[in-house]
Amino acid sequence: MGKEKLAFSRDNRSTMLERMAGEPLDLLVIGGGITGCGIALDATLRGLRVGLIEMQDFAAGTSSRSTKLIHGGLRYLKQGEIGLVREVGRERAILYRNAPHVVIPEPMLLPLVEGGTYGRLATSFGLWLYDRLAGVEKSERRVMLNKEETLAREPLLKKDGLKGSGLYVEYRTDDARLTLEVIKSAVEQGALAVNYAEATEFIYDQGKLIGVAVTDRVEQREYTIYAAKIVNATGPWVDQLRRKDNSLKGKRLHLTKGVHIVVDQSRFPLRQAVYFDVPDGRMVFAIPRDGKTYIGTTDTDYQGDLAHPPVDEEDITYLLEAANAMFPTIGLTRDDVESHWAGLRPLIHEDGKSPSELSRKDEIFRSESGLITIAGGKLTGFRKMAERVVDLVVRELEQETGRTFLPCQTATQVLSGGQVGGPEGWPGFVQKHVQELAALNVEKEQAEKLVHRYGSNIRHIIGYLKRMGVQEPEVVVLDPAEGKQHIDPVLKAELCYCVQHEMAVYAEDYLIRRTGAAYFDKDTYVALYPVVNELLNPPSLSC
Ligand SMILES: Cc1cc2nc3c(=O)[nH]c(=O)nc-3n(C[C@H](O)[C@H](O)[C@H](O)COP(=O)(O)OP(=O)(O)OC[C@H]3O[C@@H](n4cnc5c(N)ncnc54)[C@H](O)[C@@H]3O)c2cc1C
């Protein structure tokens, strides 16, 4: 791209936007969820000059509000979508290899109950078929358990009517962090990407889409960005942009809302993730994570505010009742719910189908003006979705300009933070860096969390800590009486990293999407919010 690569720092937001506006791009991606970030990475690796704009923070849409699983696609088997099972199974294996710090195998128990969705034979065969189609490693293939073995693995399950279970492996992720690792990888390769930058209008020349008017919501500045190709990867918002482009015809989005709730492990001491039947015929996950258990999801039609889908009391009641029915001794109540989130599935409408029946397949629409829209899909399939979109973009660019580009490179592209020696090297990597952090007075539990959160980018956190010359851990105190704040060095190192290498702008960016504290560590969230807000808004953090 000729110019020096810019760090993915909050301080470079204006420079990045100026560079996007300064010279036409090959590709402008609108939307910084997993779909848009995946497209930006793929296209950059093929040699395109790429820009991406996101009107909120990266992953602030659906991509931080999912069940956080990299699925092998078991539910698609039930819907007969064999090709999809194959594809997501392969994708899962690729992602595990390229980002083992953020994609973690999670054994999942599928209880078989009288009158439940699956019988023993059907489950056994279904999981067997799924293992083959999805190319599951031998060590992770399904095991059928009898009632006693099932209860030994998860004693909280309802004993009445339990016939046994199937045990298979899902992969757990942190959806927002995965999205960040993808966009960081794209920027490391030369892409320009800015959060809080909204596409407000399209610009045309003789009916052909040639650019976008953009508002920087932080600096309140306007830009015009021209690009040979423009991709609409705005998830739940794709129809809004299609409407602006006068191309909202034919297939449309069908939004469904999914809610999750989080309770403390002391109230729901689940040993093992479970995918279980709910009386209305749906299935729900309960998953242990970071000392909490999260339960979800609901699936209901939605038509309200896209940026802030509400969690309604009836959503919470539904999930509490589901958990209490399958785990009858826990007796969860509304007071046990520490946090929750709601996300919108940007699915493609099919007449007469209920929310749960709608396909999770993705589709690409190309309007007469040239706007390319990608709709539908899953977190798990983002790499393949990106490949399909960029194949189209490259085909058109090659025809129009005579230039040539590389084929898709992402199958072997290790993601930012993933330079840990592959899944085999990961445990040793964690151990080595926990020891290094111990020498800087970081306690084991916190050190493990940090290494898991940042993967190989932990070297930056260690670098900040060393530069601060940490001897004794300080306590976080917000002390308005004295007018000064003592900030925990680890918090400071993390904030510096997130601001200078992950473009965090506001306290929420750090506490919701970069650390997940808002959902999985509510006490820390409440305690830290004023401190972090003070440091970031307006920026006073010195790194
Ligand atoms: C409850 C729930 C559970 C799920 N669980 C799983 C799961 O376990 N595994 C899985 O694989 N998938 C799961 N999914 C699906 C998955 O989360 C989504 O398919 C995926 O996150 C969609 O990503 P996206 O990038 O297309 O959309 P989004 O993440 O919503 O990104 C679109 C972005 O576009 C931005 N935008 C909109 N308009 C503009 C504009 N004018 N200018 C600039 N930016 C704009 C938005 O701010 C938003 O950030 C789940 C979904 C839900 C709702």
Side-chain angles (χ1 to χ4, degrees), residues 78-132:
K78 196 178 159 197
Q79 294 169 333
E81 302 199 48
I82 303 290
L84 206 53
V85 180
R86 257 207 202 98
E87 179 171 306
V88 292
R90 262 200 311 263
E91 283 309 297
R92 187 175 75 168
I94 290 172
L95 205 50
Y96 183 40
R97 182 134 290 282
N98 291 339
H101 64 304
V102 77
V103 179
I104 300 147
E106 177 84 45
M108 185 71 68
L109 203 60
L110 188 71
L112 306 172
V113 294
E114 262 157 41
T117 305
Y118 300 104
R120 189 174 183 85
L121 252 180
T123 303
S124 178
F125 175 70
L127 288 174
W128 177 88
L129 185 62
Y130 161 77
D131 281 347
R132 264 80 199 159

Side-chain angles (χ1 to χ4, degrees), residues 33-35 54-56 62-63 66-67 69 199 236 345 377 379-380:
I34 192 71
T35 309
E54 161 55 54
M55 71 175 177
Q56 309 179 80
T62 303
S63 299
S66 77
T67 308
L69 290 174
R345 297 178 188 84
L379 195 72
T380 307

Side-chain angles (χ1 to χ4, degrees), residues 466-543:
K466 283 188 175 160
R467 279 200 291 285
M468 278 184 253
V470 182
Q471 294 303 321
E472 290 292 320
E474 291 175 51
V475 184
V476 184
V477 197
L478 188 65
D479 192 349
E482 283 186 35
K484 61 183 178 183
Q485 294 150 14
H486 307 280
I487 297 145
D488 173 31
V490 175
L491 171 67
K492 187 169 172 189
E494 261 199 281
L495 278 175
C496 286
Y497 177 71
C498 291
V499 168
Q500 296 192 328
H501 297 269
E502 296 192 340
M503 206 176 264
V505 177
Y506 299 115
E508 293 81 357
D509 302 344
Y510 172 75
L511 290 168
I512 300 178
R513 286 163 293 274
R514 282 153 191 75
T515 62
Y519 301 141
F520 295 103
D521 192 357
K522 202 65 196 246
D523 291 344
T524 301
Y525 172 75
V526 171
L528 287 191
Y529 188 90
V531 183
V532 177
N533 194 39
E534 180 82 12
L535 288 169
L536 298 189
N537 191 26
S540 60
L541 178 75
S542 65
C543 295

Side-chain angles (χ1 to χ4, degrees), residues 89-318:
R90 262 200 311 263
E91 283 309 297
R92 187 175 75 168
I94 290 172
L95 205 50
Y96 183 40
R97 182 134 290 282
N98 291 339
H101 64 304
V102 77
V103 179
I104 300 147
E106 177 84 45
M108 185 71 68
L109 203 60
L110 188 71
L112 306 172
V113 294
E114 262 157 41
T117 305
Y118 300 104
R120 189 174 183 85
L121 252 180
T123 303
S124 178
F125 175 70
L127 288 174
W128 177 88
L129 185 62
Y130 161 77
D131 281 347
R132 264 80 199 159
L133 287 174
V136 174
E137 298 254 342
K138 265 201 178 130
S139 60
E140 294 188 353
R141 287 189 182 164
R142 70 100 170 87
V143 187
M144 296 306 293
L145 305 180
N146 64 26
K147 181 172 178 175
E148 288 66 39
E149 290 164 334
T150 303
L151 288 170
R153 277 202 85 99
E154 185 42 75
L156 291 174
L157 281 170
K158 183 174 163 187
K159 296 174 186 63
D160 263 11
L162 182 69
K163 298 193 293 189
S165 61
L167 184 69
Y168 68 107
V169 178
E170 284 278 19
Y171 283 59
R172 193 160 55 82
T173 190
D174 181 320
D175 45 8
R177 288 220 54 86
L178 177 64
T179 305
L180 283 162
E181 300 302 27
V182 174
I183 194 62
K184 279 157 64 185
S185 307
V187 172
E188 282 164 14
Q189 297 296 328
L192 300 163
V194 177
N195 51 4
Y196 298 104
E198 179 179 2
T200 52
E201 295 299 333
F202 288 130
I203 300 162
Y204 299 89
D205 181 24
Q206 296 176 15
K208 186 179 174 314
L209 182 62
I210 55 164
V212 174
V214 177
T215 303
D216 176 354
R217 288 176 160 189
V218 179
E219 306 290 340
Q220 304 308 330
R221 286 175 61 187
E222 308 290 330
Y223 296 85
T224 306
I225 298 175
Y226 293 98
K229 298 288 154 196
I230 297 177
V231 168
N232 169 15
T234 56
W237 288 263
V238 291
D239 280 358
Q240 285 190 359
L241 269 76
R242 290 171 75 207
R243 188 172 292 117
K244 258 193 215 300
D245 180 54
N246 278 326
S247 58
L248 185 55
K249 301 175 192 131
K251 291 194 178 173
R252 278 155 206 259
L253 276 194
H254 182 144
L255 297 180
T256 79
K257 184 178 77 165
V259 169
H260 290 81
I261 56 172
V262 181
V263 299
D264 196 74
Q265 272 270 321
S266 61
R267 286 295 296 113
F268 188 2
L270 191 70
R271 281 197 201 161
Q272 127 94 60
V274 183
Y275 185 35
F276 61 97
D277 281 293
V278 179
D280 66 3
R282 294 188 57 254
M283 294 190 73
V284 162
F285 290 100
I287 302 172
R289 171 179 161 169
D290 297 342
K292 309 286 169 190
T293 296
Y294 66 104
I295 306 160
T297 167
T298 59
D299 199 357
T300 50
D301 288 330
Y302 184 76
Q303 267 125 17
D305 175 6
L306 300 187
H308 307 103
V311 173
D312 299 322
E313 281 306 313
E314 58 186 289
D315 299 322
I316 295 177
T317 307
Y318 175 91

Side-chain angles (χ1 to χ4, degrees), residues 373-424:
T373 294
I374 170 104
K378 299 278 288 178
L379 195 72
T380 307
F382 83 90
R383 195 197 65 85
K384 208 65 198 167
M385 286 163 69
E387 182 179 343
R388 283 192 276 271
V389 171
V390 181
D391 278 349
L392 173 65
V393 167
V394 160
R395 224 173 20 247
E396 291 190 4
L397 276 179
E398 287 184 340
Q399 276 166 8
E400 290 162 15
T401 66
R403 290 161 67 199
T404 52
F405 299 97
L406 293 170
C408 180
Q409 307 286 306
T410 49
T412 51
Q413 176 67 33
V414 173
L415 294 182
S416 184
Q419 302 284 1
V420 298
E424 310 77 23

